[in-house]
Amino acid sequence: MAPSHVLRCCQRVLSWIPVFFITVVVCWSYYAYVVELCVSELQPSVLLAVVYLIVFHLSFFMFVWSYWRTIFTKPVSPSKEFCLPKAEKEQYEKEERPEAQQEILKKVAKDLPVYTRTGTGGIRYCDRCQVIKPDRCHHCSACDTCVLKMDHHCPWVNNCVGFSNYKFFILFLAYALVYCLFIASTVLQYFIKFWTNELPDTHAKFHVLFLFFVAAMFCISILSLFSYHLWLVGKNRSTIEAFRAPVFTNGPDKNGFSLGFRKNVTQVFGDQGRLWLLPFFTSLGDGYTFPTRLVTADPEQATVILQPGANPGAKDSQTHLLNDTQNHLLGNHIGENRLESNGVMKGGDESITVSLEKEL
């Protein structure tokens, strides 16, 4: 036990090395730009130096703020409602046949808003955390926990990027890109003058030269990553779902959670545009349930259809009220949406029908 405990402690310490590296680079860039460039080299042009410093500090503050929120926002794990009851848990652990274990999971999951399945069509269950996985939830081996709407584990923030901090991560990339672009664009002219020996050969020369190279290098790498995640936001996919399409009861569907570009964006950034550029949590939903284009549940359970524009009075369908557990978990999955007694989810400019059909 002692060696494993020491090993885990060493891993935790080493995992902070990328964050420490970024922190050192950012602190050095602050010194190089403010002291060596603006204070030392731009002394004759006070007005230009002031303008540079104002814009620089604004981008620097937003970048650091978003980075801080991404690092220290704890990933959200499934609640106890997704844990197996004591009797079912004991029965599950005693069973050795996967088929029997799946029957136990199906029995418990029928009262939960869980509509995605494993590749073989089974209920997604984490043996490590001992919970039924909500939709879009995955186990992070680095954090050793299940994370709601997990996107990926990022070593540069030493944290798992998921439902609780995905907006912060996007803003971190955006402001890091703005920060690097501003530095590279304003330093370029001095970089050229130093390189062609048009300016005195002082100790500031090396800071300016390396400042341009570092800013340009990070700008290229961040641009590609930021562009990719903007594409994911527009498609309403996580990085995991981009590589492996989510599986519903009617099969894999890579666009299963896509609601159209505008609604996909609001799922991450919220419906208040004035807060989009600030690292405040404004994502819609609760991380457990998500609006989908079409979800068909297990035929042995009540069939749940989430489809924009569906007709609640369709032929051969019988609408029922959700039970307490489903109401609790589905009740706020789209921000301020509310579930009416007729099974229609009201909110915004569209309605989503939730109809429960019993198999004949």
Side-chain angles (χ1 to χ4, degrees):
M1 294 296 294
S4 61
H5 178 70
V6 173
L7 180 61
R8 284 195 299 270
C9 291
C10 292
Q11 289 175 339
R12 290 175 182 174
V13 172
L14 293 176
S15 64
W16 284 101
I17 291 180
V19 177
F20 177 75
F21 171 76
I22 294 295
T23 303
V24 171
V25 171
V26 171
C27 290
W28 166 78
S29 68
Y30 183 92
Y31 167 79
Y33 193 90
V34 173
V35 178
E36 297 296 342
L37 179 64
C38 292
V39 176
S40 300
E41 296 301 325
L42 296 180
Q43 284 183 353
S45 180
V46 178
L47 180 60
L48 182 62
V50 171
V51 173
Y52 278 6
L53 287 173
I54 291 175
V55 179
F56 172 83
H57 280 91
L58 180 61
S59 61
F60 176 81
F61 174 75
M62 296 304 297
F63 163 55
V64 173
W65 187 11
S66 302
Y67 189 46
W68 178 273
R69 291 301 304 273
T70 307
I71 294 174
F72 294 103
T73 300
K74 186 178 180 180
V76 180
S77 300
S79 65
K80 62 180 181 180
E81 292 169 305
F82 289 85
C83 297
L84 294 179
K86 184 177 180 181
E88 282 76 5
K89 181 180 178 182
E90 293 177 354
Q91 186 179 0
Y92 178 87
E93 293 175 347
K94 291 178 181 178
E95 287 288 351
E96 297 181 356
R97 294 175 298 129
E99 298 82 2
Q101 291 179 330
Q102 274 297 314
E103 290 300 322
I104 298 173
L105 295 178
K106 285 183 179 180
K107 178 182 176 182
V108 178
K110 71 179 181 180
D111 293 328
L112 297 172
V114 178
Y115 309 118
T116 54
R117 298 291 184 262
T118 64
T120 58
I123 301 296
R124 302 192 315 129
Y125 181 75
C126 180
D127 291 304
R128 181 80 175 178
C129 300
Q130 297 184 334
V131 296
I132 294 176
K133 295 180 182 179
D135 294 344
R136 313 184 83 174
C137 175
H138 298 274
H139 184 85
C140 177
S141 57
C143 298
D144 195 26
T145 186
C146 285
V147 178
L148 298 184
K149 195 187 175 185
M150 177 179 172
D151 188 88
H152 69 289
H153 184 88
C154 181
W156 297 107
V157 300
N158 191 30
N159 199 2
C160 199
V161 178
F163 176 75
S164 62
N165 62 351
Y166 188 57
K167 178 191 174 183
F168 305 150
F169 178 74
I170 297 294
L171 291 180
F172 153 61
L173 294 178
Y175 288 120
L177 181 61
V178 170
Y179 182 72
C180 293
L181 278 174
F182 176 76
I183 290 178
S185 60
T186 54
V187 171
L188 177 60
Q189 57 178 320
Y190 304 100
F191 169 80
I192 296 175
K193 290 180 180 180
F194 274 127
W195 193 262
T196 56
N197 295 320
E198 295 182 20
L199 291 178
D201 189 6
T202 63
H203 67 281
K205 174 179 180 179
F206 299 99
H207 287 285
V208 173
L209 292 178
F210 281 108
L211 192 60
F212 176 79
F213 278 122
V214 172
M217 179 184 65
F218 275 99
C219 184
I220 294 173
S221 60
I222 293 173
L223 178 61
S224 59
L225 184 61
F226 178 60
S227 301
Y228 175 67
H229 278 279
L230 285 184
W231 178 80
L232 290 178
V233 170
K235 296 291 185 179
N236 201 357
R237 299 177 194 169
S238 65
T239 300
I240 295 175
E241 292 165 353
F243 287 95
R244 184 174 66 250
V247 179
F248 299 92
T249 53
N250 57 339
D253 187 356
K254 63 180 181 180
N255 295 316
F257 294 106
S258 181
L259 307 172
F261 179 78
R262 183 175 65 86
K263 288 190 175 295
N264 290 343
V265 172
T266 58
Q267 284 292 302
V268 175
F269 290 94
D271 50 12
Q272 302 182 52
R274 67 180 183 276
L275 299 178
W276 280 12
L277 299 181
L278 298 176
F280 297 129
F281 182 82
T282 55
S283 300
L284 300 184
D286 57 6
Y288 293 95
T289 54
F290 302 89
T292 61
R293 293 190 308 135
L294 176 64
V295 174
T296 304
D298 193 319
E300 296 181 359
Q301 304 179 36
T303 300
V304 179
I305 301 175
L306 304 181
Q307 186 176 18
N311 181 9
K315 185 179 180 181
D316 297 331
S317 68
Q318 185 177 0
T319 302
H320 299 272
L321 295 178
L322 302 177
N323 61 33
D324 293 339
T325 302
Q326 292 169 321
N327 270 324
H328 173 69
L329 293 171
L330 282 174
N332 60 352
H333 80 282
I334 315 179
E336 297 179 352
N337 291 353
R338 62 187 186 277
L339 184 66
E340 303 290 350
S341 59
N342 62 356
V344 179
M345 189 76 72
K346 296 290 185 180
D349 56 355
E350 290 190 7
S351 64
I352 297 179
T353 298
V354 180
S355 61
L356 303 184
E357 300 176 2
K358 286 187 176 179
E359 187 185 33
L360 298 179

